[in-house]
Amino acid sequence: MCIGRTVAALSHGDTARIRCAARFRNSGGGRHRARLTAEAGGVFLSTADGTVARLPLGAPPTTGIEIVAEHSMLVCDTAGRQLEILLPAGEDHLFQAVVARIMGGGNVKARGVPCPVQ
């Protein structure tokens, strides 16, 4: 994954796919390989094993998204459960671009280290 091209695509509203990890909090399960897909219709999460398929972020059925910048993590409330999405660590520009793209369409709150969005 070329971070610079992915950030540019996110910034310009183009389609971008980002490898990440996801897990449901308090479920006792481990992390699943996942992919965020940002496209004209929104930002979606899918896990490689099919546990989650095209979950729209920033729109129903997610009721809110919490940004935890110090861990490059998003926490989504979905179907009464909390889903953690872990983006590649140390890639602040990518994290900020994803947050900016999601903020266009949902209830998002930031926690921890400020995550400036341009």
Side-chain angles (χ1 to χ4, degrees):
M1 162 175 58
C2 177
I3 300 298
R5 278 191 242 151
T6 302
V7 170
L10 288 167
S11 299
H12 292 101
D14 296 334
T15 299
R17 290 174 185 80
I18 304 156
R19 290 183 188 159
C20 59
R23 76 176 188 99
F24 283 102
R25 280 188 172 174
N26 303 321
S27 68
R31 294 181 182 165
H32 297 271
R33 289 183 308 153
R35 180 176 67 207
L36 280 178
T37 303
E39 52 191 38
V43 180
F44 303 91
L45 176 80
S46 298
T47 56
D49 65 2
T51 303
V52 176
R54 275 187 73 77
L55 175 70
L57 302 180
T62 58
T63 57
I65 298 176
E66 181 179 350
I67 301 162
V68 187
E70 66 268 21
H71 297 294
S72 295
M73 180 172 61
L74 305 171
V75 180
C76 306
D77 294 323
T78 180
R81 298 173 73 190
Q82 288 190 319
L83 177 67
E84 294 178 349
I85 303 167
L86 296 127
L87 295 165
E91 298 294 346
D92 293 336
H93 292 309
L94 176 64
F95 185 73
Q96 291 172 12
V98 169
V99 169
R101 189 73 175 264
I102 292 171
M103 285 183 75
N107 178 17
V108 180
K109 65 178 182 176
R111 176 170 68 96
V113 177
C115 184
V117 178
Q118 293 134 8

